[in-house]
Amino acid sequence: MAFKIYTKTGDAGETGLYGGTRLPKHHIRIETYGTVDELNAYVGYLCESVADTGVRELLIKIQNNLFTIGGMLALDPSKSLKVPLIVQGDITRLEIAIDAMEEDLPPIKQFILPSGHHIGSLAHIVRTVCRRAERAVVALHAQEPVDPLVLQYLNRLADYFFVMARYLNMLAGATERPWEQP
């Protein structure tokens, strides 16, 4: 028998966590992993827009990590079920990539506007969705404990996308547009 995409169990505004507990779809836990899913979709769009195979490989790894985070967040916290986890090495991988890109970038001396070449601008959009996902996880963490590595990963990931936006703009020959104070 084939798997059906629709179950009709969410028609009344509830959804199930991994472990069976049902929550309203507006619950902060659902909003949190939904935002991580949205981020993952944007990362996929960015991945398909980048030509560099090394960058694409890291973006695919990031997508897998975001799927892992979504699974961690979709787990009923009262159950002791095994799910894949984010590990320190995932954060270190981002830091190494950030450092490598920053070696080629001029230092920032003022705030810059999220703009530039369309690929750099897309990376800025991904960064802002990542920050929204991070805020959602922090809000959930204020109510129920979340693995601290998830918080660290999303924080570092937003930093990665900021530097990536600058880096992609540099590769495309786009000039960074500084913020002009009124």
Side-chain angles (χ1 to χ4, degrees), residues 44 55 89 120-121 160 165 174:
V55 172
S121 295
Y160 168 79

Side-chain angles (χ1 to χ4, degrees), residues 95-108 163-164 166-167 170-171:
E95 292 170 345
I96 290 168
I98 290 168
D99 293 344
M101 288 185 290
E102 282 190 321
E103 285 180 11
D104 296 330
L105 291 169
I108 293 182
V163 174
M164 174 183 261
R166 295 189 67 221
Y167 185 75
M170 180 196 71
L171 292 178

